[in-house]
Amino acid sequence: QLQLVESGGGLVQAGDSLRLSCPASGRTSRIYSMAWFRQAPGKEREIVASIVWSGGGTYYADSVKERFTISRRNAQNTVYLQINRLKPEDTAVYYCAAEDLDSGRFGRADFTSWGQGTQVAVSS
C-alpha cells in the first residue's frame, strides 16, 4: 500500500504562486510515476502534470504548460507542483496520485493510489 498526503493549498489572489507537496510513504519502491490531478466544482477530474519516478520525464496538460512545474525529490519520496501566475480558473481540489510499476511498464497510466486532496482557491 502507498499513502499520499497533499499539502500547500490555500486561498490566494490571481497572479500569486503556490507550491503543492505530496510525500509518499509505504511501498514507495513500487512507484513508476506520480501525477497531479485537479477537480473544479461541477467538472470532471483532469490530469495537469505527471513525472516518471526514475527517469524524470514529464507531461503537462496544454492548459498549464507555461505556468505549472512538476518535480520530485526521490530521496524524500516527494512530488511537488509549482503553480505560478494563478488564475481564478485554477480553483480546484488538487490531488496527487501514484502509478504502480506494473501499470507503467505496460503504458497503462493507471493511477491507483490517491491522496485526500488539497484545496486551491484563487480570487480575482
Side-chain angles (χ1 to χ4, degrees):
Q1 289 283 16
L2 197 62
Q3 292 79 46
L4 308 173
V5 181
E6 304 93 336
S7 64
L11 174 62
V12 296
Q13 293 187 332
D16 286 350
S17 297
L18 279 177
R19 189 174 83 151
L20 308 183
S21 301
C22 179
S25 61
R27 299 188 69 186
T28 56
S29 62
R30 297 288 306 174
I31 297 174
Y32 175 81
S33 71
M34 292 188 73
W36 287 94
F37 290 74
R38 68 183 179 185
Q39 187 165 20
K43 294 188 177 181
E44 293 188 354
R45 186 168 57 193
E46 62 173 347
I47 187 168
V48 294
S50 66
I51 188 165
V52 178
W53 210 240
S54 61
T58 57
Y59 160 83
Y60 293 95
D62 288 342
S63 59
V64 307
K65 271 182 183 176
E66 302 299 320
R67 300 184 296 115
F68 288 28
T69 303
I70 190 170
S71 61
R72 88 256 193 250
R73 186 170 292 178
N74 295 57
Q76 283 76 41
N77 295 311
T78 300
V79 65
Y80 303 94
L81 186 68
Q82 178 70 37
I83 310 174
N84 297 326
R85 303 191 304 279
L86 277 152
K87 302 177 180 180
E89 51 263 43
D90 294 322
T91 294
V93 178
Y94 285 72
Y95 300 90
C96 74
E99 179 188 17
D100 184 81
L101 285 172
D102 288 337
S103 170
R105 287 168 180 161
F106 292 97
R108 291 202 296 260
D110 185 14
F111 292 89
T112 54
S113 297
W114 293 82
Q116 82 291 347
T118 186
Q119 175 73 54
V120 172
V122 185
S123 62
S124 56

